[in-house]
Amino acid sequence: QVHLVESGGGLVQPGGSLRLSCVASGGTFSSYWMGWFRQSPGKEREFLTAISRAGRNTYYVDSVKGRFTISRDNDKNTVYLQMYSLKPEDTAVYYCAGADRLGGWPPLRTDYGFWGQGTQVTVSS
């Protein structure tokens, strides 16, 4: 089965930057739409951004548009989330997810069948 592993989280000061990586094994990475989500304590898991299979199309929610960039390298089976100008409210566990079907654009929550274990991002002074 497809296995996703996130890395790159950690502690960063407000205004700082961080790049998350998500490496996939199993399946065919280039056939999956990929997305990033986050979840903070007491809140629902929040969709952030998605990228199409070849990386030609991306989507961002307004709260991260202009600050976060999603990209992928299919030769490395990896999707990235580059985060700039981080704010304390960005503190959360960040998850990558993959979808092998497309119910809409961006993919529907129910389209995502593969999830990573999450990596903690803490933005604090």
Side-chain angles (χ1 to χ4, degrees), residues 11 15 22-23 25 29 42 56-57 63 67 77 107 110 115 119 124:
L11 176 64
C22 173
V23 179
S25 59
F29 180 72
R56 288 189 281 268
N57 297 297
S63 61
R67 297 192 300 124
N77 291 345
T110 53
W115 294 84
T119 185
S124 177

Side-chain angles (χ1 to χ4, degrees), residues 3 41 46 49 56-57 60 62 69 85 87 105 108 113 124:
H3 185 54
E46 176 188 14
T49 179
R56 288 189 281 268
N57 297 297
Y60 302 91
D62 288 342
T69 301
S85 301
K87 308 172 181 179
W105 182 251
L108 306 177
S124 177

Side-chain angles (χ1 to χ4, degrees), residues 6 8-9 14 21 29 31 34 37 57-58 66-67 69 79 84 87 90-91 112-115:
E6 302 97 334
S21 299
F29 180 72
S31 71
M34 298 297 295
F37 296 73
N57 297 297
T58 58
R67 297 192 300 124
T69 301
V79 62
Y84 299 101
K87 308 172 181 179
D90 294 319
T91 296
Y112 293 97
F114 323 119
W115 294 84

Side-chain angles (χ1 to χ4, degrees), residues 3-10 17-25 29 34-37 49 69-73 76-83 93-97 115-121:
H3 185 54
L4 304 176
V5 178
E6 302 97 334
S7 63
S17 302
L18 210 58
R19 189 176 79 155
L20 308 182
S21 299
C22 173
V23 179
S25 59
F29 180 72
M34 298 297 295
W36 285 95
F37 296 73
T49 179
T69 301
I70 188 171
S71 62
R72 68 192 297 163
D73 186 338
K76 296 182 178 180
N77 291 345
T78 302
V79 62
Y80 304 95
L81 184 65
Q82 178 67 60
M83 304 183 292
V93 177
Y94 283 69
Y95 300 88
C96 66
W115 294 84
Q117 84 291 341
T119 185
Q120 176 71 48
V121 172

